[in-house]
Amino acid sequence: MTRRTLSPAAYDKLTAAVARDTGDRRTAALWAHAAALARHAHDRGLAPADDRPPGPDGLLKSLEELAGCHPALAPLADPAVLPLWEQPLGSAAWAAIEEFWDRHPALEGEHRVDGYALGDAYQLLSEEARKGRALCQTPPWVARLLLRLSLEPAMEEWGPADVRMIDPACGTGHIAVAAFHMVRVPPLRGRGSHPGWGGPQAVERALASVSGVDLDKYAAALTAYRLLACSASVLGVRLDRVPASFPVNVAAADSLLDRTEPLLAAGTYHACVANPPYITPKDPAVRDEVRAVYPQVAAGKYSLALPFTALMLERLAVPGGFVAQLTANSFMKREFGRRYVTEFLPRFDARWVIDTSGAYIPGHGTPTCILVHRARPPVGDTVTVIRGIRGEPHVPEDPARGLVWRAIEDAVDSRLAWDRFRAGLDDSRKGTTNT
Ligand SMILES: C[S@@+](CC[C@H](N)C(=O)[O-])C[C@H]1O[C@@H](n2cnc3c(N)ncnc32)[C@H](O)[C@@H]1O
C-alpha cells in the first residue's frame, strides 16, 4: 500500500474544525488523535473487539476496552490524560475526523504496527505539544544512529540480557521503540541471528530493558501503546493477550524535577538516549526551579537541553554509562553555553561530536549536533569528531538518504570498523580472540 502523506496544513485544518465543537484546540487534537489510535488497534487486529463501534461514544468504548488490555494502557481511559469523557463531540466534528482518517488510510504501510505515523500525527495535530513542550519527533534513522553509538556498545559491555536504557524525553516513543527492537534482536556480529529473540522471553526482556518518561501524559501513553503494539505483533497476539506481568516502563513525569518517579532513580541506566527539548522554559517559576537544581549548566537564558545532559550524565547513568543526544548546537554559539562547554562537559568522557547542522532532519529547523559521552572522567586522548563541510544542496526526497546524512553514516561506519579492527589486533597481540 502506498502511504498517502497529507500536508501539515491538513492536520491543522482538522484540529481547527474539531475545535469549533470542543472549544479548544488541545482537546480537539486529542479527540482526533485518539480516533487514529483506535483505528490503528482495530485495523491491525490488536484490539479485543473485532469492529470499531460507531460514533464518538463508540470511540470512548474502544478506548475503555484498550485501557483494559494491559495495566500500562490504563491512561487511555483516564480523563486526566484524555479529557474526552468531559467534552463530548458533536456529529459534524466526528464526521470531519472520520473523513480525515478515511483519506489517510490506516496511517502507514500495512505491515507496520509500530505506530511511527501515529507519533508523527500527534505532533502534527497538537500545536500545544509542539509549541508548549517542544514535541518534535526524532526520525527513526536518527534514533538508529543515536542507539548505535550508545545502546549498542552498552549491550556489548553489559550484555543484551542485562542492559537498561532510558529516553527521559521520550515524546511519542520513536527512540524507545527503536531501542525495543535493538534489544530484542541485538546486532550479533558474525554470529548469525540468535534463535531465542522472537519468543515471549525476548519480548519481555526487551520491554524490561527500555524506559521512557515524558512530561506530556498523552505522549507517554502513546509510547506505552506503541511498545505493547510491537510486543503483541511479535508474539502474534492481540493486546489483551500480552501478559499483564510484562513490564512497560513508561511514565508521565517532569524528568528534570521529579525525584519520586521510580523510573528516574539515580544510577540505573547503561544507555541514556534523548532528543531533549531545546526551548527555554517559558514559565519563570519553572525556569528558576530548574536553574536551582542544575546550577552547573542552567545559566542565563539556558536551553532545556543543557539540564537534560546533566540529568543523564550525573544522575540517570550508571558509572561509565553511554549518553547520546541529538541536540541544538546553540550552546556552542551563545553565552548560556560557555560554562557548559568550558567547565561541565570536560568532566566527562567525550566519545563523539557530530555536526548534523547541514543534514535535513524534518521538523528540526534549529541547527543540531549529536553528542555522545560516557558518564565517567575522560579516558584516553581521542574524541571522534565529524565536522560538517556543507549543507544539503536541496531538500532530499527521502531525508534518510540525504547526501549529508549518508556522509555522516559512512563516516561513523568507517570509524566503527577501524575501532573493531584495532580492538581485534589488540586482542590477538594479547592472545585472546574476539568473536
Ligand atoms: C524533541 S521532543 C522528543 C521526541 C521524541 N524523541 C520522539 O521521537 O517522540 C522533546 C520532548 O521532551 C518533552 N519534555 C519537555 N520538557 C520535559 C521535562 N521536563 N520532562 C520530561 N519530558 C519533557 C516534551 O514533551 C517532548 O515530548
PDB file of all heavy atoms in Angstrom, residues 176-197:
ATOM      1  N   ALA A 176      12.388   5.013  21.937  1.00  0.00           N
ATOM      2  CA  ALA A 176      12.096   3.846  22.793  1.00  0.00           C
ATOM      3  C   ALA A 176      11.717   2.628  21.940  1.00  0.00           C
ATOM      4  O   ALA A 176      12.158   1.504  22.223  1.00  0.00           O
ATOM      5  CB  ALA A 176      10.971   4.197  23.769  1.00  0.00           C
ATOM      6  N   VAL A 177      10.922   2.847  20.901  1.00  0.00           N
ATOM      7  CA  VAL A 177      10.502   1.724  20.050  1.00  0.00           C
ATOM      8  C   VAL A 177      11.715   1.150  19.292  1.00  0.00           C
ATOM      9  O   VAL A 177      11.889  -0.074  19.202  1.00  0.00           O
ATOM     10  CB  VAL A 177       9.385   2.176  19.077  1.00  0.00           C
ATOM     11  CG1 VAL A 177       9.176   1.155  17.972  1.00  0.00           C
ATOM     12  CG2 VAL A 177       8.084   2.384  19.848  1.00  0.00           C
ATOM     13  N   ALA A 178      12.570   2.037  18.790  1.00  0.00           N
ATOM     14  CA  ALA A 178      13.770   1.549  18.081  1.00  0.00           C
ATOM     15  C   ALA A 178      14.668   0.781  19.055  1.00  0.00           C
ATOM     16  O   ALA A 178      15.275  -0.239  18.693  1.00  0.00           O
ATOM     17  CB  ALA A 178      14.519   2.724  17.454  1.00  0.00           C
ATOM     18  N   ALA A 179      14.749   1.250  20.306  1.00  0.00           N
ATOM     19  CA  ALA A 179      15.577   0.565  21.313  1.00  0.00           C
ATOM     20  C   ALA A 179      14.991  -0.814  21.629  1.00  0.00           C
ATOM     21  O   ALA A 179      15.727  -1.795  21.777  1.00  0.00           O
ATOM     22  CB  ALA A 179      15.665   1.415  22.581  1.00  0.00           C
ATOM     23  N   PHE A 180      13.671  -0.890  21.724  1.00  0.00           N
ATOM     24  CA  PHE A 180      12.995  -2.178  21.980  1.00  0.00           C
ATOM     25  C   PHE A 180      13.434  -3.195  20.915  1.00  0.00           C
ATOM     26  O   PHE A 180      13.820  -4.326  21.228  1.00  0.00           O
ATOM     27  CB  PHE A 180      11.478  -1.969  21.953  1.00  0.00           C
ATOM     28  CG  PHE A 180      10.668  -3.233  21.888  1.00  0.00           C
ATOM     29  CD1 PHE A 180      10.348  -3.931  23.046  1.00  0.00           C
ATOM     30  CD2 PHE A 180      10.221  -3.725  20.664  1.00  0.00           C
ATOM     31  CE1 PHE A 180       9.600  -5.105  22.984  1.00  0.00           C
ATOM     32  CE2 PHE A 180       9.476  -4.892  20.596  1.00  0.00           C
ATOM     33  CZ  PHE A 180       9.168  -5.589  21.761  1.00  0.00           C
ATOM     34  N   HIS A 181      13.377  -2.773  19.651  1.00  0.00           N
ATOM     35  CA  HIS A 181      13.751  -3.705  18.576  1.00  0.00           C
ATOM     36  C   HIS A 181      15.238  -4.060  18.642  1.00  0.00           C
ATOM     37  O   HIS A 181      15.630  -5.197  18.393  1.00  0.00           O
ATOM     38  CB  HIS A 181      13.420  -3.097  17.209  1.00  0.00           C
ATOM     39  CG  HIS A 181      11.940  -3.044  16.950  1.00  0.00           C
ATOM     40  ND1 HIS A 181      11.131  -4.148  17.042  1.00  0.00           N
ATOM     41  CD2 HIS A 181      11.125  -2.011  16.607  1.00  0.00           C
ATOM     42  CE1 HIS A 181       9.881  -3.811  16.767  1.00  0.00           C
ATOM     43  NE2 HIS A 181       9.850  -2.512  16.501  1.00  0.00           N
ATOM     44  N   MET A 182      16.075  -3.069  19.003  1.00  0.00           N
ATOM     45  CA  MET A 182      17.516  -3.338  19.048  1.00  0.00           C
ATOM     46  C   MET A 182      17.855  -4.328  20.166  1.00  0.00           C
ATOM     47  O   MET A 182      18.711  -5.199  20.007  1.00  0.00           O
ATOM     48  CB  MET A 182      18.295  -2.038  19.243  1.00  0.00           C
ATOM     49  CG  MET A 182      19.787  -2.209  19.118  1.00  0.00           C
ATOM     50  SD  MET A 182      20.695  -0.656  19.304  1.00  0.00           S
ATOM     51  CE  MET A 182      20.871  -0.138  17.618  1.00  0.00           C
ATOM     52  N   VAL A 183      17.168  -4.227  21.293  1.00  0.00           N
ATOM     53  CA  VAL A 183      17.458  -5.157  22.395  1.00  0.00           C
ATOM     54  C   VAL A 183      16.867  -6.529  22.097  1.00  0.00           C
ATOM     55  O   VAL A 183      17.463  -7.565  22.390  1.00  0.00           O
ATOM     56  CB  VAL A 183      16.894  -4.615  23.735  1.00  0.00           C
ATOM     57  CG1 VAL A 183      17.140  -5.621  24.858  1.00  0.00           C
ATOM     58  CG2 VAL A 183      17.545  -3.288  24.088  1.00  0.00           C
ATOM     59  N   ARG A 184      15.702  -6.533  21.466  1.00  0.00           N
ATOM     60  CA  ARG A 184      15.041  -7.821  21.181  1.00  0.00           C
ATOM     61  C   ARG A 184      15.841  -8.630  20.169  1.00  0.00           C
ATOM     62  O   ARG A 184      16.014  -9.838  20.309  1.00  0.00           O
ATOM     63  CB  ARG A 184      13.619  -7.573  20.654  1.00  0.00           C
ATOM     64  CG  ARG A 184      12.770  -8.818  20.538  1.00  0.00           C
ATOM     65  CD  ARG A 184      11.391  -8.475  20.063  1.00  0.00           C
ATOM     66  NE  ARG A 184      11.373  -7.917  18.721  1.00  0.00           N
ATOM     67  CZ  ARG A 184      11.480  -8.638  17.614  1.00  0.00           C
ATOM     68  NH1 ARG A 184      11.597  -9.945  17.687  1.00  0.00           N
ATOM     69  NH2 ARG A 184      11.455  -8.044  16.426  1.00  0.00           N
ATOM     70  N   VAL A 185      16.350  -7.934  19.164  1.00  0.00           N
ATOM     71  CA  VAL A 185      17.167  -8.612  18.146  1.00  0.00           C
ATOM     72  C   VAL A 185      18.508  -7.903  18.098  1.00  0.00           C
ATOM     73  O   VAL A 185      18.747  -7.071  17.240  1.00  0.00           O
ATOM     74  CB  VAL A 185      16.502  -8.537  16.754  1.00  0.00           C
ATOM     75  CG1 VAL A 185      17.238  -9.415  15.756  1.00  0.00           C
ATOM     76  CG2 VAL A 185      15.042  -8.953  16.833  1.00  0.00           C
ATOM     77  N   PRO A 186      19.407  -8.219  19.045  1.00  0.00           N
ATOM     78  CA  PRO A 186      20.651  -7.462  19.096  1.00  0.00           C
ATOM     79  C   PRO A 186      21.523  -7.741  17.885  1.00  0.00           C
ATOM     80  O   PRO A 186      21.510  -8.869  17.373  1.00  0.00           O
ATOM     81  CB  PRO A 186      21.332  -7.936  20.374  1.00  0.00           C
ATOM     82  CG  PRO A 186      20.581  -9.109  20.837  1.00  0.00           C
ATOM     83  CD  PRO A 186      19.346  -9.279  20.033  1.00  0.00           C
ATOM     84  N   PRO A 187      22.239  -6.735  17.416  1.00  0.00           N
ATOM     85  CA  PRO A 187      23.157  -6.980  16.293  1.00  0.00           C
ATOM     86  C   PRO A 187      24.300  -7.859  16.786  1.00  0.00           C
ATOM     87  O   PRO A 187      25.077  -7.435  17.627  1.00  0.00           O
ATOM     88  CB  PRO A 187      23.652  -5.571  15.928  1.00  0.00           C
ATOM     89  CG  PRO A 187      23.182  -4.660  16.997  1.00  0.00           C
ATOM     90  CD  PRO A 187      22.303  -5.392  17.951  1.00  0.00           C
ATOM     91  N   LEU A 188      24.323  -9.101  16.320  1.00  0.00           N
ATOM     92  CA  LEU A 188      25.377 -10.014  16.763  1.00  0.00           C
ATOM     93  C   LEU A 188      26.356 -10.202  15.620  1.00  0.00           C
ATOM     94  O   LEU A 188      26.067 -10.884  14.658  1.00  0.00           O
ATOM     95  CB  LEU A 188      24.775 -11.373  17.162  1.00  0.00           C
ATOM     96  CG  LEU A 188      23.847 -11.336  18.370  1.00  0.00           C
ATOM     97  CD1 LEU A 188      23.125 -12.661  18.520  1.00  0.00           C
ATOM     98  CD2 LEU A 188      24.631 -11.018  19.625  1.00  0.00           C
ATOM     99  N   ARG A 189      27.473  -9.549  15.753  1.00  0.00           N
ATOM    100  CA  ARG A 189      28.426  -9.541  14.652  1.00  0.00           C
ATOM    101  C   ARG A 189      28.979 -10.928  14.356  1.00  0.00           C
ATOM    102  O   ARG A 189      29.554 -11.555  15.233  1.00  0.00           O
ATOM    103  CB  ARG A 189      29.594  -8.642  15.012  1.00  0.00           C
ATOM    104  CG  ARG A 189      29.258  -7.237  14.899  1.00  0.00           C
ATOM    105  CD  ARG A 189      30.214  -6.407  15.675  1.00  0.00           C
ATOM    106  NE  ARG A 189      29.496  -5.370  16.361  1.00  0.00           N
ATOM    107  CZ  ARG A 189      28.834  -4.414  15.743  1.00  0.00           C
ATOM    108  NH1 ARG A 189      28.832  -4.345  14.442  1.00  0.00           N
ATOM    109  NH2 ARG A 189      28.187  -3.503  16.420  1.00  0.00           N
ATOM    110  N   GLY A 190      28.741 -11.363  13.103  1.00  0.00           N
ATOM    111  CA  GLY A 190      29.368 -12.593  12.643  1.00  0.00           C
ATOM    112  C   GLY A 190      28.832 -13.865  13.291  1.00  0.00           C
ATOM    113  O   GLY A 190      29.352 -14.932  13.094  1.00  0.00           O
ATOM    114  N   ARG A 191      27.781 -13.757  14.098  1.00  0.00           N
ATOM    115  CA  ARG A 191      27.309 -14.975  14.765  1.00  0.00           C
ATOM    116  C   ARG A 191      25.948 -15.414  14.255  1.00  0.00           C
ATOM    117  O   ARG A 191      25.352 -16.320  14.804  1.00  0.00           O
ATOM    118  CB  ARG A 191      27.192 -14.738  16.258  1.00  0.00           C
ATOM    119  CG  ARG A 191      28.527 -14.592  16.930  1.00  0.00           C
ATOM    120  CD  ARG A 191      28.325 -14.535  18.431  1.00  0.00           C
ATOM    121  NE  ARG A 191      29.141 -13.487  18.994  1.00  0.00           N
ATOM    122  CZ  ARG A 191      29.051 -13.085  20.238  1.00  0.00           C
ATOM    123  NH1 ARG A 191      28.164 -13.620  21.037  1.00  0.00           N
ATOM    124  NH2 ARG A 191      29.812 -12.141  20.697  1.00  0.00           N
ATOM    125  N   GLY A 192      25.414 -14.726  13.264  1.00  0.00           N
ATOM    126  CA  GLY A 192      24.084 -15.073  12.763  1.00  0.00           C
ATOM    127  C   GLY A 192      23.040 -14.657  13.772  1.00  0.00           C
ATOM    128  O   GLY A 192      23.367 -14.153  14.851  1.00  0.00           O
ATOM    129  N   SER A 193      21.763 -14.876  13.446  1.00  0.00           N
ATOM    130  CA  SER A 193      20.748 -14.391  14.377  1.00  0.00           C
ATOM    131  C   SER A 193      20.589 -15.390  15.521  1.00  0.00           C
ATOM    132  O   SER A 193      20.759 -16.594  15.365  1.00  0.00           O
ATOM    133  CB  SER A 193      19.427 -14.186  13.656  1.00  0.00           C
ATOM    134  OG  SER A 193      18.999 -15.421  13.172  1.00  0.00           O
ATOM    135  N   HIS A 194      20.249 -14.865  16.665  1.00  0.00           N
ATOM    136  CA  HIS A 194      20.098 -15.679  17.860  1.00  0.00           C
ATOM    137  C   HIS A 194      18.705 -16.301  17.831  1.00  0.00           C
ATOM    138  O   HIS A 194      17.725 -15.590  17.677  1.00  0.00           O
ATOM    139  CB  HIS A 194      20.274 -14.774  19.073  1.00  0.00           C
ATOM    140  CG  HIS A 194      20.400 -15.528  20.350  1.00  0.00           C
ATOM    141  ND1 HIS A 194      19.377 -16.270  20.876  1.00  0.00           N
ATOM    142  CD2 HIS A 194      21.435 -15.653  21.206  1.00  0.00           C
ATOM    143  CE1 HIS A 194      19.791 -16.817  22.010  1.00  0.00           C
ATOM    144  NE2 HIS A 194      21.028 -16.456  22.235  1.00  0.00           N
ATOM    145  N   PRO A 195      18.590 -17.629  17.986  1.00  0.00           N
ATOM    146  CA  PRO A 195      17.270 -18.259  17.835  1.00  0.00           C
ATOM    147  C   PRO A 195      16.278 -17.825  18.904  1.00  0.00           C
ATOM    148  O   PRO A 195      15.078 -17.904  18.712  1.00  0.00           O
ATOM    149  CB  PRO A 195      17.567 -19.751  17.948  1.00  0.00           C
ATOM    150  CG  PRO A 195      18.915 -19.859  18.580  1.00  0.00           C
ATOM    151  CD  PRO A 195      19.645 -18.596  18.278  1.00  0.00           C
ATOM    152  N   GLY A 196      16.785 -17.321  20.030  1.00  0.00           N
ATOM    153  CA  GLY A 196      15.868 -17.071  21.136  1.00  0.00           C
ATOM    154  C   GLY A 196      15.177 -15.728  21.128  1.00  0.00           C
ATOM    155  O   GLY A 196      14.426 -15.425  22.039  1.00  0.00           O
ATOM    156  N   TRP A 197      15.416 -14.877  20.120  1.00  0.00           N
ATOM    157  CA  TRP A 197      14.983 -13.496  20.244  1.00  0.00           C
ATOM    158  C   TRP A 197      13.584 -13.191  19.739  1.00  0.00           C
ATOM    159  O   TRP A 197      13.157 -12.052  19.770  1.00  0.00           O
ATOM    160  CB  TRP A 197      15.997 -12.556  19.574  1.00  0.00           C
ATOM    161  CG  TRP A 197      17.303 -12.585  20.303  1.00  0.00           C
ATOM    162  CD1 TRP A 197      18.456 -13.199  19.896  1.00  0.00           C
ATOM    163  CD2 TRP A 197      17.604 -12.040  21.595  1.00  0.00           C
ATOM    164  NE1 TRP A 197      19.448 -13.073  20.831  1.00  0.00           N
ATOM    165  CE2 TRP A 197      18.944 -12.361  21.887  1.00  0.00           C
ATOM    166  CE3 TRP A 197      16.860 -11.318  22.538  1.00  0.00           C
ATOM    167  CZ2 TRP A 197      19.563 -11.979  23.072  1.00  0.00           C
ATOM    168  CZ3 TRP A 197      17.484 -10.936  23.720  1.00  0.00           C
ATOM    169  CH2 TRP A 197      18.808 -11.269  23.966  1.00  0.00           C
TER     170      TRP A 197
END
